[in-house]
Structure formats: structure tokens, C-alpha cells
Amino acid sequence: MRPRFRYQDFVDQQRAGLMHGVFVDDTGSPGLPNTPAHLHPSRKSWVAVVVPKVHVGEVWRQFPGALSELRKTSGASEFHFTDIYMGRREFKDVPLSTRLGAFRFMAHIFGTYRFPVFVQTLDPDSLRDVRNRAAFPEQLGPFNLQKHEDLALFFLLLRVKWHLEKTYSSSDTLARVFVDEGFKRAGAAIAIPPLKAVFADGLICFARSDSILPLQLADFAAFCLNRTQLLIGKEQLSELDSSLLRIIEPLAWNFQNIPVVPLDEWFPNDGSGHQ
């Protein structure tokens, strides 16, 4: 008989700080016109934010207050950073200074707590290369390893697993994994029994970011990754682009497995973000 799980129990465990939290979101720019030459238009990136259990309870307790402030300034109930940046939907009439304030707030959170961030990107070309270099099954449980988005998520989960095993003692690696809905519907879970020594109950849980609030941390990290990649390909940055890069620059050091290029090296002329 299969065990029965309740997401509320998982939330209660997080609030009590009983295990680490891993929060995952995806990003990319499918269908974007004029995709920069260095980016594959069909790439898929998965981004994981690891919140150690020493902080995870506090994160859960503080998030409602942050969302309350967001609601006062914009009417929005969630931090959706693409919408904040573009000034659309609930943020359509919100002043730019207020929208940038949301980025400053979240960058401060990441800078204060130093949450490790992991990234895995694949596209159809790199998928072919990976599969030519090593023998992979076509299917692994619910993962279709012939699809670059599935293999990228699987690789990301392995990266997080290795990080937890390397960072914590064998008795202290257990983490609850939440992935923003899309790959699977909210409320669903993937069981991977061989991973249950690190991922609680061997589950990869899918949820909405309005119920599993720290998923909004992953939304922020994923947005910063994607926006930075897109801006690298621009010949000249707007004032908004430059302001954003200055705000999120410290976040670069949270990313564990991608190269970090300080802005002063990226824009060597005057450091302002303009060529």
C-alpha cells in the first residue's frame, strides 16, 4: 500500500525547520524574437535555490509580511519578477522606483542569507552532445531523457543532491524539494526511491508559488539568470537594464556552478553599464 502524503505536513516541516528546503523554477525565452546569437532559442534552464534548515523556518515566517508590503504598493499578491521588470499586469501603473525596490529587497535577502543557487541548462543541440558522450536510457521514471527539458531537470536534481551530501553530514542532508508547477500539475509528486536518503520520502513535489511561498525565491533567481543572459547579447543597455544589473550584481556569488564576471569587467569603460 502506497503511503499517503499531505502537502500541509510538508509545509509544517518547513516552518519547524526540520529539514532543508529546495525550491526550483524554470526559465528560458522560447519564441523570443531576435534571441542573442550566444543563446539557443529553445534552451531550457532550471534553477534551484537551497535554503538550509537553519533559515528555512524564518523564510516561511517572513514571507507573508513581505507579500503584505507588496500588496500595499502594487496590489499584487506575489513576486512575479518578469511582470515587475516589464511593468505589466498588476505592476502596470507602479512607479519604476517601487518596482526596482522589489529587486533590491530580494537581492538583500539573497545577500544576507547566501542561499546557494544551482543552474542546469540544456537545449536540443547540447542534448545531442550529452547523449553522444554517454549512454542514457530513453526513460527514467517520469523523465523522458530524450527531451532536453527533462534531462536538464534531472541533472539539476543531481547537482543539488551532491551539494547536500558534500556540505552536510550524512545524518543532516535531508531536504524537501518543491518545483514550481508546469512540468507537473500543482499537488503532484514524482517518487524517486533511490534519492530518499537526501530528498525527503524520495519525492519531487510540484506546487504553486502562492502556496509554497519560497518558490518565489526561485522565480527571482531564474529571472536574474535569464535577464543577465539576454543583456549580455545587447549592444547597448537601457537605463533600466543598467540599474537592474547593479542591483543584482551581488547575487552572482550565490550561483554555485556558473562563471561569475564582475560588472566592472563586463563594462570596462566606465562601470556604468553603458558602452
Side-chain angles (χ1 to χ4, degrees):
M1 183 176 180
R2 290 184 177 180
R4 296 182 63 85
F5 298 102
R6 294 175 63 248
Y7 263 44
Q8 186 57 50
D9 294 335
F10 300 165
V11 172
D12 293 343
Q13 291 169 345
Q14 291 280 286
R15 289 182 178 278
L18 298 180
M19 61 185 69
H20 311 295
V22 177
F23 305 96
V24 180
D25 202 356
D26 65 331
T27 188
S29 305
L32 181 72
N34 303 318
T35 298
H38 66 286
L39 298 175
H40 195 292
S42 297
R43 75 194 185 284
K44 169 71 80 170
S45 295
W46 292 96
V47 180
V49 178
V50 180
V51 181
K53 69 179 186 180
V54 67
H55 297 310
V56 74
E58 182 178 0
V59 167
W60 274 93
R61 288 190 294 273
Q62 295 297 328
F63 236 104
L67 292 176
S68 176
E69 288 300 315
L70 180 71
R71 197 171 293 111
K72 290 177 184 177
T73 58
S74 67
S77 58
E78 291 184 71
F79 290 99
H80 287 300
F81 285 94
T82 298
D83 292 343
I84 296 173
Y85 184 76
M86 300 300 292
R88 65 189 187 191
R89 296 177 182 166
E90 298 100 323
F91 302 95
K92 181 178 180 181
D93 298 318
V94 177
L96 176 59
S97 59
T98 301
R99 289 189 281 123
L100 288 177
F103 284 94
R104 291 190 181 92
F105 166 74
M106 197 62 75
H108 173 73
I109 296 299
F110 274 80
T112 298
Y113 294 100
R114 302 291 183 184
F115 301 136
V117 180
F118 293 87
V119 174
Q120 181 63 61
T121 300
L122 285 175
D123 57 55
D125 294 341
S126 56
L127 171 68
R128 249 186 327 269
D129 182 60
V130 168
R131 292 188 64 86
N132 286 337
R133 289 170 179 265
F136 285 92
E138 294 185 357
Q139 193 84 21
L140 184 62
F143 296 98
N144 180 353
L145 301 187
Q146 299 181 90
K147 298 172 63 175
H148 65 281
E149 54 265 45
D150 286 38
L151 187 57
L153 178 55
F154 183 71
F155 279 171
L156 178 72
L157 295 172
L158 291 181
R159 288 188 184 278
V160 172
K161 173 182 179 291
W162 296 333
H163 164 74
L164 293 169
E165 291 173 333
K166 179 181 178 180
T167 306
Y168 301 99
S169 66
S170 59
S171 62
D172 197 30
T173 58
L174 200 63
R176 180 67 67 189
V177 181
F178 296 99
V179 182
D180 199 18
E181 65 176 346
F183 187 85
K184 298 289 182 183
R185 63 176 176 79
I190 293 173
I192 311 178
L195 299 183
K196 70 178 183 180
V198 177
F199 297 156
D201 304 304
L203 295 180
I204 311 301
C205 306
F206 294 83
R208 292 168 52 95
S209 56
D210 60 357
S211 58
I212 304 299
L213 301 182
L215 280 170
Q216 294 172 58
L217 298 174
D219 178 88
F220 177 71
F223 171 86
C224 291
L225 171 73
N226 192 52
R227 181 55 50 177
T228 301
Q229 290 177 329
L230 293 174
L231 293 183
I232 289 174
K234 292 184 69 173
E235 291 185 2
Q236 187 168 359
L237 300 184
S238 69
E239 184 176 346
L240 173 58
D241 294 334
S242 300
S243 297
L244 176 73
L245 288 174
R246 286 297 174 193
I247 290 169
I248 67 175
E249 180 184 14
L251 185 69
W253 304 102
N254 294 71
F255 285 82
Q256 304 295 299
N257 65 311
I258 57 175
V260 173
V261 179
L263 284 187
D264 289 342
E265 295 181 23
W266 192 357
F267 304 111
N269 290 348
D270 60 8
S272 68
H274 294 282
Q275 296 286 353

